Every structure is written in structure tokens, then in C-alpha cells.
Amino acid sequence: MGWSPMVFRFVDGGETPVPLDPAVVREVLEPHDADGPGSPEGQDASLSFRVRAADGSEAEILADDFGLTVYRPHAGEVWDIVAELVARLGAVVLDPSGTGVVCRAEEHGHLPARWRDDAVVIEMTGEGLETALTGRRRG
């Protein structure tokens, strides 16, 4: 079973994620889709991408109305793409190990109250996100 961070967007402390903008998801991910432009949509209107960064690192990303899951992300520049997407969506990343949430300062106040105290606030860069979630530093 793979390690898969999840990305959601919250507004005004609400407990329920709000819809992500599919145009932003496509705009950020399609140029990096190893399977080419026009990734197929699932029967439920979900979007699927196999993202490959310039350094060869990859992740499979599945997006639906309320969030996305980053399946088996490799170490490396693929995290730059994920961080760009998270920042452009105004979203947060849920650590799949259950240790909390990673977000920018701009999104911290929008988190549900139960997550705010334990949230890790970072500058949303690929290296910052990868380090916050995995403990690994590039180099």
C-alpha cells in the first residue's frame, strides 16, 4: 500500500472541504502529464494525471470535486509541481501518516479549528512540502 498525501481546500473554518477549481488543476498538471494532454476523466468526472518532473520523479494524482490524492510521490522535483498546485488552489495537505496538516499562513485561518494548533505552516515550495511531510531534504 502506497503513501498518499491528500489535498483539500477549506473556507472560514468549515469542516467540509469546498470544491477545487478543475481549471487550475488542469492548468498546473497537464504540462507535466507523462500520458500526454487530455487525461481521461473518470465516470464520476474525476481527473487523473501521471505527473513527471524534469528530474524524472513522478506521482499519480487523482482529483475529484472536493480534493485530490497524490499517489506514491517520488522524492524530487515532482514536489515542486504539487506545491505549486496546492498554493494556486489555496489548499492544504493532509499528512497521510495522520500527524496533521501542512499549509501556508494564508490558509491556516481557514482550517477547521480542531486542526489549527497542530498544523505545520510553511512557505509552499516543493522542498518545504517534501521536508514537512517526509523529513527528507534534497541535496
Side-chain angles (χ1 to χ4, degrees):
M1 189 165 161
W3 182 82
S4 304
M6 296 171 288
V7 176
F8 296 103
R9 184 169 178 266
F10 296 93
V11 175
D12 298 328
E15 291 284 329
T16 304
V18 298
L20 301 176
D21 185 340
V24 172
V25 173
R26 283 189 178 99
E27 185 177 319
V28 173
L29 298 182
E30 280 184 347
H32 306 285
D33 192 352
D35 294 331
S39 293
E41 290 190 9
Q43 290 179 327
D44 58 356
S46 62
L47 299 171
S48 177
F49 301 89
R50 186 167 56 98
V51 175
R52 181 178 298 141
D55 69 350
S57 60
E58 293 186 359
E60 294 177 47
I61 300 177
L62 180 65
D64 61 24
D65 288 340
F66 292 101
L68 59 90
T69 304
V70 182
Y71 291 100
R72 297 174 295 283
H74 297 177
E77 293 175 9
V78 73
W79 288 101
D80 297 341
I81 298 165
V82 173
E84 176 187 353
L85 180 59
V86 170
R88 296 225 2 229
L89 289 169
V92 303
V93 181
L94 275 63
D95 184 337
S97 65
T99 58
V101 176
V102 178
C103 65
R104 299 183 306 171
E106 295 93 313
E107 284 76 47
H108 186 264
H110 291 286
L111 287 171
R114 64 189 167 104
W115 290 342
R116 287 186 200 146
D117 288 343
D118 295 325
V120 176
V121 178
I122 64 168
E123 181 180 338
M124 193 55 69
T125 65
E127 187 169 1
L129 182 57
E130 182 177 4
T131 300
L133 291 172
T134 68
R136 292 188 303 252
R137 289 197 169 283
R138 292 188 202 166

